[in-house]
Amino acid sequence: MPMLGLGTWENDDHEACVQSVETALEMGYRHIDTAQIYGNEEAVGEGIETADVPREDIFLATKVWISNLSYDEVLATTEESLEKLGTDYVDLLYVHWPAREYAPAETLSAFDELYDDGVIRRVGVSNFEPHHVDEAREHLDAPVFANQVECHPFLQQDELREYADEESLELVAYSPLARSDVIGAEPLTEIADRHGASEPQVALAWLREKGVTAIPKATSEAHIRDNWESLTLELSDDEIATIDDIARRDRKVDPDFGPDAWE
């Protein structure tokens, strides 16, 4: 799984979404992330088809929404997602939240069936705390490949990062730029100025140093490129430690159906 991907949350203008996916892939991105609830799977699929990049070179992920997590709905809506995406498999399918229709035994048996059939190449979970992942593993035959959570310099997710390291689990960061709050925020600005970089690049480089895959949302070519160029930014040990010491804790995504005890 490439450590930098294109996030598509709220990228719900069809043509803009098509263009952003095509632009990202032509630029070099190989990881595209979407979800049923985003309402843009068709546009993502069209962007993939339009880009001059073979499907097998693209790591494509989507997520099953909380109202579709019964056994039958997982199977039915995943088939619908594949049709919209214009592909016969996805590289990673997530349970979007451990909420509403999520029942580990029933939900995950459907994921196992999709995995065994080759319709999904990997099983993922999203917004899971460690005990949710442990429970999921009890019901899955397929390995849990990744946990996608909000993670950025202002919500560093120390416990989840440590758990992921211990359990050989990929941690994927959504909202890695804290909904643009990294812009103009110290000490990120000072570090960015030192490197002739942007604050988003610093945040993404910090996540990469922590072994976390980031999927920043971007629609314009300028922002897609700015994020891409974070791959060339190397932070010093002191700069990483400075970001580690940020005391601010600011969760941007906290719906009423989220886990009861966030970190």
Side-chain angles (χ1 to χ4, degrees):
M1 179 174 63
M3 288 195 73
L4 180 65
L6 178 71
T8 62
W9 177 75
E10 285 192 337
N11 192 350
D12 51 10
D13 178 280
H14 185 89
E15 293 304 320
C17 185
V18 171
Q19 185 62 55
S20 63
V21 171
E22 180 185 5
T23 296
L25 290 172
E26 297 285 358
M27 194 175 292
Y29 286 75
R30 291 296 180 266
H31 180 179
I32 306 294
D33 182 271
T34 183
Q36 293 174 351
I37 196 64
Y38 297 172
N40 62 11
E41 288 175 318
E42 288 182 341
V44 168
E46 189 174 329
I48 290 172
E49 183 179 5
T50 304
D52 187 23
V53 177
R55 168 67 184 92
E56 59 269 21
D57 291 347
I58 300 168
F59 190 98
L60 177 60
T62 192
K63 311 175 198 72
V64 181
W65 186 239
I66 59 177
S67 59
N68 299 331
L69 290 172
S70 70
Y71 175 86
D72 289 339
E73 284 296 301
V74 169
L75 299 180
T77 61
T78 299
E79 182 177 352
E80 292 171 4
S81 291
L82 294 175
E83 291 175 359
K84 291 175 180 177
L85 290 163
T87 185
D88 55 6
Y89 72 95
V90 290
D91 298 272
L92 177 58
L93 184 70
Y94 292 97
V95 176
H96 205 148
W97 292 83
R100 300 282 167 83
E101 300 303 316
Y102 178 66
E106 180 181 359
T107 300
L108 298 172
S109 64
F111 273 69
D112 266 331
E113 182 172 331
L114 293 167
Y115 179 83
D116 290 342
D117 290 343
V119 173
I120 64 176
R121 300 288 173 85
R122 298 165 186 82
V123 173
V125 296
S126 185
N127 301 295
F128 277 41
E129 292 292 289
H131 73 274
H132 293 119
V133 181
D134 291 339
E135 182 181 39
R137 282 177 159 159
E138 293 175 3
H139 294 281
L140 270 169
D141 292 327
V144 178
F145 175 77
N147 185 16
Q148 184 178 132
V149 300
E150 181 182 349
C151 186
H152 46 73
F154 310 136
L155 186 68
Q156 298 194 5
Q157 300 283 24
D158 295 339
E159 179 185 354
L160 283 177
R161 287 193 286 111
E162 181 179 356
Y163 175 85
D165 287 343
E166 291 173 351
E167 301 297 329
S168 299
L169 184 72
E170 298 290 340
L171 200 68
V172 179
Y174 69 75
S175 297
L177 309 180
R179 303 280 179 88
S180 298
D181 277 4
V182 298
I183 297 173
E186 295 293 354
L188 303 178
T189 298
E190 180 183 352
I191 295 170
D193 290 346
R194 192 179 303 143
H195 289 274
S198 67
E199 296 97 331
Q201 289 172 356
V202 171
L204 294 173
W206 175 79
L207 285 166
R208 189 176 70 249
E209 290 289 345
K210 296 298 180 181
V212 177
T213 295
I215 50 167
K217 171 205 170 184
T219 54
S220 72
E221 181 176 358
H223 288 153
I224 293 170
R225 185 173 301 280
D226 189 71
N227 294 339
W228 180 248
E229 290 176 352
S230 71
L231 294 172
T232 65
L233 176 59
E234 297 293 335
L235 302 178
S236 70
D237 290 344
D238 286 345
E239 289 168 337
I240 293 168
T242 297
I243 298 172
D244 289 348
D245 288 341
I246 294 174
R248 177 177 171 184
R249 182 179 180 278
D250 186 4
R251 185 180 296 280
K252 299 297 183 181
V253 181
D254 192 12
D256 59 6
F257 53 77
D260 292 335
W262 287 109
E263 177 206 356

